[in-house]
Amino acid sequence: MLNTTDSNYSRVIPVEYPKVVKRRRRLRFGVVDVTSGVINWMQIDGDPQQHYLPRMEWSGYNELIVQQLD
């Protein structure tokens, strides 16, 4: 991807995506309670083998935002 808006000079931003021939790994996200060490696994709809989860981040309201692509 080419970024042409942040500065006077354009720069390339690498975008990773799964290749068609590669088998994707099952992926899941969990949040760890730092005081107890308990992991709370996120329940994400859909078949983990058929969806691509490229990124996640915290919202401003103690919520985890997960981007999911098919």
Side-chain angles (χ1 to χ4, degrees):
M1 181 166 54
L2 189 60
N3 183 346
T4 60
T5 60
D6 286 350
S7 68
N8 291 337
Y9 300 101
S10 301
R11 63 184 176 99
V12 176
I13 300 171
V15 177
E16 296 180 11
Y17 59 92
K19 304 266 191 259
V20 175
V21 294
K22 285 190 173 182
R23 180 177 169 88
R24 287 181 267 170
R25 288 183 257 146
R26 292 179 62 122
L27 183 68
R28 61 184 183 162
F29 292 122
V31 177
V32 179
D33 184 331
V34 293
T35 56
S36 67
V38 174
I39 300 173
N40 183 15
W41 295 105
M42 302 294 107
Q43 299 299 317
I44 299 174
D45 294 336
D47 180 7
Q49 292 289 357
Q50 297 299 319
H51 291 111
Y52 178 51
L53 306 172
R55 68 179 49 112
M56 69 175 180
E57 64 184 58
W58 287 105
S59 74
Y61 303 101
N62 271 346
E63 296 175 323
L64 186 65
I65 299 170
V66 178
Q67 181 180 17
Q68 180 180 14
L69 304 172
D70 59 3

